Amino acid sequence: FFMAEAGDIAAWLPARQKFSHKGGHGHALLIAGSHGKVGAAVLAARGALKAGAGLLTVHVPQCGYSILQIAVPEAMASVDAHQLQFSTVPELGPYRAIGVGCGLGQGELASRALGELITKAQQPLVLDADALNLLSAEPSWLLQLPEGSVLTPHPKEFERLFGPSRDSFERLNRLREQAQRLGQVILLKGAHTAIACPDGTVWFNPTGNPALATGGSGDVLTGIITALMAQGLESWQGAVAGAYLHGLSADLAVAATESEESFAAGQVAEWLGRAFKAARAGGSPT
Amino acid sequence: FFMAEAGDIAAWLPARQKFSHKGGHGHALLIAGSHGKVGAAVLAARGALKAGAGLLTVHVPQCGYSILQIAVPEAMASVDAHQLQFSTVPELGPYRAIGVGCGLGQGELASRALGELITKAQQPLVLDADALNLLSAEPSWLLQLPEGSVLTPHPKEFERLFGPSRDSFERLNRLREQAQRLGQVILLKGAHTAIACPDGTVWFNPTGNPALATGGSGDVLTGIITALMAQGLESWQGAVAGAYLHGLSADLAVAATESEESFAAGQVAEWLGRAFKAARAGGSPT
Amino acid sequence: FFMAEAGDIAAWLPARQKFSHKGGHGHALLIAGSHGKVGAAVLAARGALKAGAGLLTVHVPQCGYSILQIAVPEAMASVDAHQLQFSTVPELGPYRAIGVGCGLGQGELASRALGELITKAQQPLVLDADALNLLSAEPSWLLQLPEGSVLTPHPKEFERLFGPSRDSFERLNRLREQAQRLGQVILLKGAHTAIACPDGTVWFNPTGNPALATGGSGDVLTGIITALMAQGLESWQGAVAGAYLHGLSADLAVAATESEESFAAGQVAEWLGRAFKAARAGGSPT
Amino acid sequence: FFMAEAGDIAAWLPARQKFSHKGGHGHALLIAGSHGKVGAAVLAARGALKAGAGLLTVHVPQCGYSILQIAVPEAMASVDAHQLQFSTVPELGPYRAIGVGCGLGQGELASRALGELITKAQQPLVLDADALNLLSAEPSWLLQLPEGSVLTPHPKEFERLFGPSRDSFERLNRLREQAQRLGQVILLKGAHTAIACPDGTVWFNPTGNPALATGGSGDVLTGIITALMAQGLESWQGAVAGAYLHGLSADLAVAATESEESFAAGQVAEWLGRAFKAARAGGSPT
């Protein structure tokens, strides 16, 4: 059991070389959004962009095309064949990490396409939200995930995936066991977000506050973790650092102009720069 | 008769538990917007988002779909069957409070759908703008509103609903009587916004300034009150606290960079974080 | 000949009463935009909104509908029957002042509709850009403008309307004569913007800098003047005060974070609040 | 060999005359964007706008029309006949400089249209990204470019155009030779961006940091250089000054609120005003 600290995060972040180029910071892919939930794709994209993905492509259904290009001009759009939901896995060659699930919906087409993605992907996946719900219905897929994947359930999604727990102690044990069984990283969201690694290690995240209990917050986290992994962090490092920076952004915002009520998920992205700086400076806000 | 004070507001706001999650802060629904007035839905959504709704869904006609998803990515969109106006009541199960009326238009379809909403809703409604105008034409609906609802008329809407008054004294009496008769909260907008409760209590709001006399200001207020009620405040508390925070946001903005002319309704949302902080700090701006 | 001063502007701005309401600050209409130039409608709308119009409606062709509602949610959209350009005069009853011409194009339909607008309007018009170019082709319309209208040509548009001048002295004389002949206010843009009134008075504007020589700058000015007139300023006061505040916004921006190159027209709207404050404070920036 | 300095940049920037007007600051055209990459057109447009283009037109395929008008209202849109890509050269008369290639795609239609543009253009072109890739496939066009053009390859694009180099020394020699051979300016991106002129001179750029190694960064640079040339700078001055200001913006942002990870390409535009000021003040950040 470890508690994440600013020093850890700072040590894991790859130093950017003077001679680096955008390709060197990784190309991240997000598969997100469905009719009525395209905002989730926007929020995940903003998280990935501000967490340092060198290149970012977002795969959205047709109803999300213009929305995404307006809201996040730095991202390229990959447009699905379907008007309303994810139905077709794009060419996966260029990507170093893939985040999937934010606002995806739970349609049959999306389920089939997720299954295909899991089969085809050579890169690690970050699975969130509806991708986890779809996985709950097809638990055999859990053992077919590409190596180095990360699951990011909140407690209800965790329960759907791995069954109920009597208390938080039992849930924590189950978290640890499942990460070992699957050989993947599992990030269990909560007041004390816990990240379990395949080797049995569990990290706790000390940052964050109740302002983050708001719609879209998880979407931004998925974007951040995917971007960190695209930059070369190990999956468990990406998950631990992502949770740390995500929470610290909210802490900084609430210490400045926002209240716990007024903080909106998209603001995590606005404060990420200061969170990176604070982590590098040892955790004290700049 | 009471004058709202920062201490009241602060006492009513639910303390966010470290272990809270987004569902715990309530799911708010806004039914708003029609062709040419989708901006009203955007403004109400921004108010609700920044007032702390844990989850937010906005029901808009098809012409509002992309607009809403671009402008407020944190909100989910529920899209009506009609291209131009509200015509169909969505599934109401998930919501703890429902705001209806901003930019809704006064079409026949919208009227019928509003009637259906009033019949079906088990949750409290916040009724504003065109919902009030439609109610004026169907006064029998006034007695069928779900318990704990809030009406937010400006003086002309109040007159349409409850008849003319000779002076502000008579209007205030009528406000009090009608709130008692209907058993609902009525918020009468004006320089001294007054909130009448079913038990005969009347609260006056001390915040706000003429900058708020601008198009869209009421839409943001509706969003704020709906979000506060979704978080568990009683209807009268939501109305009193909503008016207080709405006015205080404008006061803070005008004390900083805006003039009474330049202040735009959407800016209420930008300043809400500081208003919450100021209310908690006893009313003195931070 | 007068030089506009902060004290003049401050004296003309209507004091907002504590009991004012949005209708009391006037309803402004802008008729603007065509395919490829809808941004001009957005910029004019932002100018009008931030200059204090109580209510604002923007009439755009269909290709501008979503653009406007996303970019300026506080404005209501009136949508033309035509996909690409202004073709149909909307119902004019509700409006206290009407700005027309920004990005309007010079199509035949737009010309005919402008002629109809001039015939029907009882309210003062603010005529800019393509409305002036269309007027040049139909000079007889110049004598049919509603009382209290304002023309805002730049030097080339002025020349098209009223013929060439040998030098700036002759042009200034012509400006004065034409304002008297037409009985309307003419604002001639330039380094020293001059506003000529029907009674022969000419005001010079002391604010502004070369940062304003950028596309869209005039659109914002049209919005500002229209909004001031909707709030009850006389046409000449609206023109003089509008030019003053428009220029002062750019002066404040350039004194802060912008250079003359980097200043974009839309930023006038951002700085207008501080310009109003500075004008009230006697011209010294706050 | 020269190292660019703030004093050079400041000396080259045209002083804006009090009596200047928007036409006097040049009309820039950008031909950019294709389906899925319209964000590149938005970013280039923001760069051009904030670098001082007096007027700005952006030619986009139909799928980019609304996106551009919402995101950059100051720009006029020229809309291609094709839904998804560049296919038709617009009327080129009004423009003083033309930037082409950002997000253009490499379709056959785009290739043919680029060839036509090169043949027709009398103005200098700034060629970037996919325009360079298309040029690699049609190397004969390299000798038909209008006088005073600028090519802005990154190392891979440079290699595709001019063949591989064993090391950076050889590449620098090749850069110099090719600029002389073509009689055009070539800007080779990298940690030490180098600008080679037709006369054999090579400038190095001292500003910038790894934050710029992010998707869209080059698009903004293309917009900046095009705008500077539209304002009358010589091509080599535009390239040297553009690179300097582009890098300085990122330096200022990272010194303030952003980290190297969190800096997004669109933020270059936000910081350009301060970069111009700093360059004029001798390079020390304001």
Side-chain angles (χ1 to χ4, degrees), chain C residues 30-54:
Chain C
L30 296 169
I31 300 175
S34 61
H35 190 248
K37 294 180 176 176
V38 173
V42 169
L43 293 171
R46 289 190 178 149
L49 178 71
K50 300 290 290 180

Side-chain angles (χ1 to χ4, degrees), chain A:
Chain A
F1 290 89
F2 295 93
M3 182 66 73
E5 290 179 22
D8 300 319
I9 313 309
W12 299 337
L13 293 175
R16 296 208 161 189
Q17 304 301 320
K18 179 80 177 151
F19 290 90
S20 68
H21 58 92
K22 62 189 174 187
H25 304 139
H27 193 162
L29 172 68
L30 295 169
I31 301 176
S34 61
H35 191 249
K37 294 180 176 176
V38 173
V42 169
L43 293 171
R46 288 189 179 150
L49 178 70
K50 301 289 289 181
L55 290 168
L56 174 62
T57 295
V58 187
H59 183 82
V60 285
Q62 291 171 22
C63 68
Y65 170 65
S66 289
I67 295 166
L68 187 86
Q69 297 257 290
I70 293 166
V72 193
E74 288 88 351
M76 287 170 284
S78 158
V79 183
D80 200 277
H82 200 278
Q83 178 67 24
L84 304 176
Q85 61 173 292
F86 174 40
S87 75
T88 318
V89 177
E91 164 58 53
L92 300 178
Y95 309 111
R96 192 154 164 196
I98 300 171
V100 60
C102 306
L104 205 65
Q106 303 185 35
E108 203 182 320
L109 287 174
S111 174
R112 218 176 307 161
L114 178 64
E116 195 188 325
L117 173 70
I118 289 171
T119 308
K120 285 191 179 167
Q122 308 291 318
Q123 311 90 332
L125 303 179
V126 181
L127 298 125
D128 185 32
D130 284 327
L132 298 174
N133 293 325
L134 293 169
L135 269 179
S136 307
E138 300 280 356
S140 67
W141 293 353
L142 277 172
L143 293 163
Q144 303 169 33
L145 298 175
E147 200 188 331
S149 291
V150 177
L151 293 83
T152 61
H154 59 55
K156 283 218 179 123
E157 290 161 348
F158 185 83
E159 185 175 321
R160 267 179 232 132
L161 280 166
F162 304 118
S165 308
R166 268 168 320 197
D167 54 30
S168 62
F169 185 77
E170 185 179 305
R171 192 162 52 196
L172 189 60
N173 273 337
R174 181 158 301 173
L175 170 68
R176 198 163 168 248
E177 288 162 17
Q178 293 292 334
Q180 290 179 292
R181 180 176 75 95
L182 303 181
Q184 308 287 6
V185 175
I186 308 177
L187 179 155
L188 175 61
K189 294 170 189 173
H192 302 303
T193 289
I195 297 101
C197 304
D199 66 0
T201 313
V202 177
W203 290 77
F204 289 105
N205 182 53
T207 64
N209 63 68
L212 287 168
T214 186
S217 174
D219 304 323
V220 183
L221 178 60
T222 296
I224 294 172
I225 295 174
T226 307
L228 292 173
M229 288 164 58
Q231 287 167 83
L233 270 70
E234 296 293 320
S235 300
W236 63 273
Q237 292 174 329
V240 173
Y244 189 93
L245 293 162
H246 180 259
L248 186 51
S249 294
D251 290 344
L252 294 168
V254 166
T257 55
E258 300 303 322
S259 73
E260 292 183 352
E261 293 87 1
S262 73
F263 184 77
Q267 295 184 281
V268 171
E270 287 171 35
W271 288 85
L272 261 177
R274 278 165 279 213
F276 273 102
K277 281 175 180 272
R280 285 220 171 79
S284 56
T286 47

